[in-house]
Amino acid sequence: MAEFLRGKTVAVTGAGRGIGRAVALACAAEGAAVVVNDYGVGIDGSAPASEVADEVVKEIEAAGGRAVAVADDIATMAGGERVVRTAVEAFGRLDGVVCVAGILRERMLFNMSEQEWDPVIATHLKGTFTVFRAAAALMRQQGGGSLIGFTSGNHQGSVSQANYSAAKGGIISLVRSAALGLNKYGVTANCVAPVARTRMSANVPMELKEIGEPEDVAALVVYLLSDAAKEITGQVYTVAGPKIAVWAQPRELRAMYAASGSWTPERIADFLPGTVGVDPMPMLQQLEVMAKAAAAKERPNA
Ligand SMILES: NC(=O)c1ccc[n+]([C@@H]2O[C@H](COP(=O)([O-])OP(=O)(O)OC[C@H]3O[C@@H](n4cnc5c(N)ncnc54)[C@H](O)[C@@H]3O)[C@@H](O)[C@H]2O)c1
């Protein structure tokens, strides 16, 4: 057994399946004690089952590692708090949290219901907040720790998953806020945008050219949780099989200033197109390709 995370305790949400499970197994294999959280729901968030988290705990124990299950819903404050409290009660400390739990309720924006919007935002964005909130309070006292959120390339926008895209964009801003607010306490916060074969990626409505396995994602997460990455904070990394890429920080591209100190709509119309202009949206250029792939029912696992 390798020891990249020796002596650390890590909590992973959504750790019963897919990427979360691979992260939990990898953390345990690298010497961490692991809190395995999973509400055990269907891909749309329905029908919870506690066995899903228990199974991963059994797998970790069978391999000689230490783990404890929490089957709570992390979209609730109580669930997030329980994940953190369980780490302290079972293992005496918490060094890292990895918020992987997620669901999908796909629908075009003009047809999307409140029942499709709210649970997706609650699971991804609030579900990252509840765990970060409880962990940040503890890590501030401890004087260190790592917070890892899960976003998606879809944070750039999505044709049929506006709820998911909005939640994933929100997670990036939450992570950046955590990086800023906790920097002086030695706590880092970073985001991972994975592309890996799971039940969820099998439902992505577009062709995924670059894709890997959950274990590829787990390797990056273990690195970000380790002391080797303690200077890295406020970053968003894509991992897709052999590829790891860093995303740019958002920044203003070009500016224009009103000579008189204020603009009118007419003056903006005169100057904006030729000065600040636009920044072309990469996803917009891909709409046709994505529509063709969706029509052909091309799926990464198909
Ligand atoms: N697979 C990909 O290619 C891909 C791409 C981009 C982003 N992601 C993100 O990576 C993460 C993991 O995705 P995956 O593909 O492994 O999905 P998955 O469906 O295989 O696993 C998600 C797990 O989260 C659990 N979960 C859902 N709601 C929960 C809740 N309220 N509380 C606790 N657990 C809950 C589910 O029971 C499930 O076991 C998600 O956040 C997803 O949005 C995945």
Side-chain angles (χ1 to χ4, degrees):
M1 191 182 277
E3 295 283 278
F4 223 66
L5 300 177
R6 182 155 51 120
K8 293 190 188 292
T9 298
V10 176
V12 186
T13 75
R17 295 192 187 88
I19 294 168
R21 174 177 165 275
V23 168
L25 293 174
C27 288
E30 294 290 346
V34 183
V35 177
V36 175
N37 162 258
D38 204 293
Y39 197 31
V41 286
I43 197 161
D44 66 350
S46 62
S50 59
E51 307 82 64
V52 182
D54 290 336
E55 286 303 316
V56 174
V57 168
K58 280 186 205 150
E59 271 186 84
I60 290 174
E61 286 175 345
R66 294 191 302 155
V68 58
V70 176
D72 288 39
D73 175 4
I74 44 79
T76 65
M77 292 305 280
E81 282 159 16
R82 172 140 22 201
V83 167
V84 170
R85 198 170 59 245
T86 301
V88 176
E89 284 170 4
F91 305 118
R93 59 183 292 113
L94 180 61
D95 302 283
V97 295
V98 190
C99 295
V100 190
I103 63 168
L104 283 180
R105 293 193 183 184
E106 187 173 333
R107 190 78 63 199
M108 294 302 284
L109 180 58
F110 40 79
N111 287 325
M112 189 172 286
S113 68
E114 196 175 5
Q115 290 70 33
E116 286 157 347
W117 175 269
D118 282 351
V120 170
I121 302 292
T123 306
H124 291 273
L125 184 53
K126 187 176 174 192
T128 304
F129 163 69
T130 67
V131 177
F132 274 23
R133 162 70 181 85
L138 181 72
M139 289 173 178
R140 176 177 174 234
Q141 284 170 358
Q142 274 180 191
S146 312
L147 305 170
I148 299 183
F150 263 65
T151 185
S152 160
N154 246 355
H155 78 268
Q156 298 172 94
S158 165
V159 171
S160 58
Q161 298 176 330
N163 47 0
Y164 180 80
S165 175
K168 291 309 199 188
I171 288 171
I172 294 179
S173 295
L174 172 60
V175 160
R176 290 208 177 103
S177 298
L180 291 173
L182 293 159
N183 188 55
K184 72 172 174 185
Y185 304 108
V187 178
T188 62
N190 293 289
C191 231
V192 173
V195 194
R197 283 182 197 88
T198 67
R199 67 175 190 174
M200 190 183 280
S201 61
N203 280 278
V204 172
M206 61 187 272
E207 187 191 7
L208 296 170
K209 291 207 174 66
E210 292 182 307
I211 188 163
E213 302 305 323
E215 290 70 24
D216 299 316
V217 183
L220 175 65
V221 172
V222 166
Y223 165 72
L224 290 173
L225 289 168
S226 75
D227 292 340
K230 64 179 188 301
E231 305 300 329
I232 296 179
T233 195
Q235 303 302 308
V236 181
Y237 291 106
T238 283
V239 51
K243 171 177 134 178
I244 294 178
V246 68
W247 287 78
Q249 298 288 340
R251 50 176 68 90
E252 292 173 355
L253 271 187
R254 289 175 290 275
M256 63 181 193
Y257 291 88
S260 65
S262 58
W263 289 102
T264 62
E266 292 77 12
R267 300 273 297 155
I268 293 172
D270 283 346
F271 283 98
L272 186 140
T275 52
V276 294
V278 297
D279 184 23
M281 188 183 181
M283 299 279 284
L284 208 51
Q285 331 274 314
Q286 289 170 32
L287 274 179
E288 206 174 312
V289 177
M290 289 194 292
K292 269 193 198 141
K297 298 236 177 308
E298 282 178 28
R299 294 287 188 270
N301 287 349

